[in-house]
């Protein structure tokens, strides 16, 4: 079982992620926005982070950049979940070092396959 942090300011998306991750046997930590995620990531030590891009205050870009620049958190895989599907957005995510960029609406089965594959790769 892995610890997965789901970060999204939309409670419906957070709930969907939580249900699907728990059905896959993962422990789920939710964060309501980017600042909440940054405040909790060191204590919670997630194995992977599902991160919305467009959030108030601290957005997903800022969260990813902060985590990737910190030696304690830089190796946590990040998957962006975003309604922003422009090639420039995907490229920006790649440049920040995230493992994947998934556009909303997403297929929960495909997302869980991706999560499980990334967690398996990390523990291998």
């Amino acid at each position: 079982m892995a610890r997965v942090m789901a970060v999204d300011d939309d409670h419906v998306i957070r709930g969907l992620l939580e249900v699907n991750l728990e059905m896959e046997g993962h422990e789920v930590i939710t964060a309501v926005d980017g600042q909440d995620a940054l405040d909790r990531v060191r204590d919670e030590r997630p194995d992977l982070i599902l991160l919305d891009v467009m959030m108030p205050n601290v957005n997903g870009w800022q969260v990813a950049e902060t985590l990737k620049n910190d030696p304690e958190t830089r190796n946590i895989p990040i998957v962006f979940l975003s309604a922003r599907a422009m090639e420039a957005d995907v490229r920006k995510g790649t440049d920040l070092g995230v493992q994947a960029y998934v556009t909303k609406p997403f297929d929960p089965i495909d997302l869980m396959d991706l999560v499980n594959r990334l967690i398996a790769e990390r523990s291998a």
Side-chain angles (χ1 to χ4, degrees), residues 19-32:
V19 166
N20 282 279
L21 289 163
E22 286 176 348
M23 285 176 30
E24 291 291 313
H26 301 302
E27 180 181 344
V28 184
I29 305 141
T30 58
V32 298

Side-chain angles (χ1 to χ4, degrees), residues 63-120:
V63 172
E65 185 173 18
T66 300
L67 295 176
K68 291 299 181 184
N69 286 326
D70 184 333
E72 282 189 46
T73 58
R74 75 166 42 120
N75 293 322
I76 300 171
I78 296 173
V79 174
F80 272 140
L81 295 176
S82 180
R84 297 177 62 117
M86 301 290 291
E87 184 60 37
D89 295 318
V90 176
R91 196 167 38 255
K92 184 173 180 177
T94 302
D95 291 346
L96 283 170
V98 302
Q99 275 57 40
Y101 194 106
V102 176
T103 55
K104 295 176 183 174
F106 54 85
D107 180 326
I109 294 169
D110 290 344
L111 181 61
M112 291 308 109
D113 288 346
L114 174 64
V115 166
N116 291 331
R117 182 175 54 78
L118 291 172
I119 288 169

